[in-house]
Amino acid sequence: MIRTLLMPALLLGACSPGAAQAPWLQRLHRLLNGDSAQAIDYDTAYVRSYRDDLVVSPVITNQGSDLTLTLANGDAVRYATNTASQHGLALDYKWLGIEFTTTLSGLGTLDADRGLTETTGLGFGYTGRRWWFRNSLRWSRGYHVENPAAVDPQWTAGSPYPHRNDLESTTYMVGLNHGFNAERYSQAAALWQMERQKRSAGSLIAGGAFWYTRTAAEKPLLPANVRGASEAVARLTGIRRMTWCITGGYAHTLALWQRGFINLMVVPGLGAQQQRLFSGEDQPLATGWDLAVTLEVRCGAGYVGDRWYAALSVVSYQSAGSIDPEVVLGNGFASARLAAGYRIKGLRPLLPALGL
């Protein structure tokens, strides 16, 4: 997964003859290396920066997504993916971070009773001192039923889970947040350990989020033995949903002995959704506008030294809204990341050929 991506074409263009004084190259240079003419924009008693060091990190990640249909009578069907852990490498320098992970034979094992899931994902973003941006696309096919007794009363523990190889989902998420205590709270320290939170600090957060979710199956999403839905909802095979939300919350890092940390961030969102429902060969039904909610929860802990760091972080994104008065659809994505990195010090600034 590419975590933070700056377009390679820009970097190639930066090396072209006669381009050194171009204004956009000057802005790119300041983005990558900082503006040496400006004073430090954070409180050094609270934050220690390592952005001048190249950090090399072996990484282990585990990711999954879920899909929940909850009926008005309280019954629910919860679908989830079955994905193996992935291993890879991350490189971080200045504001640029590149990370690639993949499933390695013998290291990423699956629970055979939960069936096979195919997954593809791409993400990139920017973690500045005051603004944090994320942008991700994820596709999954093949879900098992997390509460199998809801669809098969005869199911017993130890038996294979009911599996839907025909069920697939695509989720595109965009989020932009602003932190109001940038001088003392570092989001880069909480996420990627390119900085260290020396003293405990927190920040109020405000921003916005956009979700596009496409859910599709060859057979109805609700199994035939699940009752309580109208005939139209019982025949539902696909959903297209767009969600816009205003978000706001709080993040806090508890510093432990200046080198350890525990971080927690909670950012709920409230807004509107528009969707279209599909039932086999019927014409799609547009449901108009409705209320929608999102929730981002992130927690992490680790050790951040001048040469080494190690950290575990877990993040969950959830979105929910009504399909109709009888059914609420919830989509979720969660990931866990374990990384240990080594800092290579003494590098020259990026793009030195520019002469800026």
Side-chain angles (χ1 to χ4, degrees), residues 237-262:
T237 59
I239 303 166
R240 310 288 187 273
R241 171 188 284 172
M242 290 187 293
T243 301
W244 295 263
C245 283
I246 300 299
T247 60
Y250 183 75
H252 192 90
T253 297
L254 176 64
L256 304 174
W257 309 288
Q258 288 207 3
R259 295 185 182 274
F261 76 93
I262 298 175

Side-chain angles (χ1 to χ4, degrees), residues 65 138-141 143 167-171 213-216:
S65 60
R138 181 179 176 86
W139 173 84
S140 298
R141 182 183 181 93
Y143 285 73
L167 178 58
E168 66 177 70
S169 70
T170 301
T171 300
T213 304
R214 174 187 177 273
T215 303

Side-chain angles (χ1 to χ4, degrees), residues 313-324:
S313 61
V314 179
V315 61
S316 173
Y317 302 101
Q318 300 291 328
S319 173
S322 297
I323 296 177
D324 72 357

Side-chain angles (χ1 to χ4, degrees), residues 166-188:
D166 66 311
L167 178 58
E168 66 177 70
S169 70
T170 301
T171 300
Y172 173 63
M173 296 188 301
V174 179
L176 178 66
N177 289 318
H178 180 269
F180 291 93
N181 188 19
E183 292 76 18
R184 293 186 172 182
Y185 174 78
S186 170
Q187 183 74 346

Side-chain angles (χ1 to χ4, degrees), residues 54-78:
L54 173 66
V55 183
V56 182
S57 310
V59 177
I60 302 174
T61 64
N62 198 302
Q63 305 180 29
S65 60
D66 61 77
L67 171 68
T68 302
L69 295 156
T70 304
L71 280 65
N73 62 11
D75 292 342
V77 179
R78 298 192 300 272

Side-chain angles (χ1 to χ4, degrees), residues 278-355:
F278 297 81
S279 299
E281 300 299 325
D282 296 344
Q283 290 294 321
L285 172 65
T287 61
W289 293 92
D290 203 349
L291 184 68
V293 294
T294 60
L295 177 64
E296 177 182 356
V297 177
R298 183 184 297 271
C299 58
Y303 166 86
V304 183
D306 292 336
R307 283 288 185 179
W308 294 92
Y309 87 89
L312 172 66
S313 61
V314 179
V315 61
S316 173
Y317 302 101
Q318 300 291 328
S319 173
S322 297
I323 296 177
D324 72 357
E326 298 175 337
V327 180
V328 173
L329 171 67
N331 293 94
F333 170 73
S335 66
R337 178 181 185 270
L338 176 64
Y342 179 76
R343 308 184 196 282
I344 302 174
K345 297 181 176 292
L347 294 181
R348 297 176 61 188
L350 286 180
L351 307 180
L354 294 179

Side-chain angles (χ1 to χ4, degrees), residues 22 27 34 36 106 109 136 143 205 226 234 249 251 290 295 312 332 342:
R27 290 193 293 270
S36 59
T109 58
S136 64
Y143 285 73
I205 299 168
V226 176
D290 203 349
L295 177 64
L312 172 66
Y342 179 76

